[in-house]
Amino acid sequence: GILLANEVLKIELAVTNLKTQLSDLENTENLLKYNLCILTGLDAQVGIDIPDTFPSAAKDDTRLTQYIEHAVRNRTELKTLAI
């Protein structure tokens, strides 16, 4: 009866609110992608595709260690920090 109809209205309101939030998030995502294009100098009309998942971290971090060691050896600002 009345209780069931009230519950249906609450659920419909919740669904409508979620759809509105989803729309807001999609608009924010599009705005962020546009700003990223502007900042990186890419054509904003082409856009940026951001994957839903990111590749897993590299299991072998020796290259990262090599890059850091190279930077410490060759970058003057890093050399001054080591003093």
Side-chain angles (χ1 to χ4, degrees):
I2 295 174
L3 190 58
L4 182 59
N6 193 24
E7 293 300 315
V8 170
L9 286 174
K10 286 181 183 179
I11 292 170
E12 288 174 349
L13 178 62
V15 169
T16 301
N17 288 337
L18 287 173
K19 287 180 180 179
T20 302
Q21 289 175 1
L22 178 60
S23 177
D24 289 346
L25 287 172
E26 289 170 343
N27 290 337
T28 301
E29 179 186 23
N30 290 333
L31 180 62
L32 290 171
K33 286 180 181 180
Y34 176 79
N35 287 337
L36 186 58
C37 285
I38 299 296
L39 289 171
T40 57
L42 297 173
D43 183 9
Q45 299 300 321
V46 173
I48 293 178
D49 237 356
I50 300 174
D52 290 335
T53 59
F54 293 98
S56 61
K59 306 222 184 315
D60 182 19
D61 63 350
T62 55
R63 293 199 62 170
L64 176 62
T65 305
Q66 291 171 349
Y67 289 134
I68 293 172
E69 289 172 355
H70 182 268
V72 169
R73 279 194 312 273
N74 297 310
R75 302 285 303 255
T76 55
E77 66 272 19
L78 293 177
K79 286 181 185 178
T80 58
L81 290 174
I83 294 176

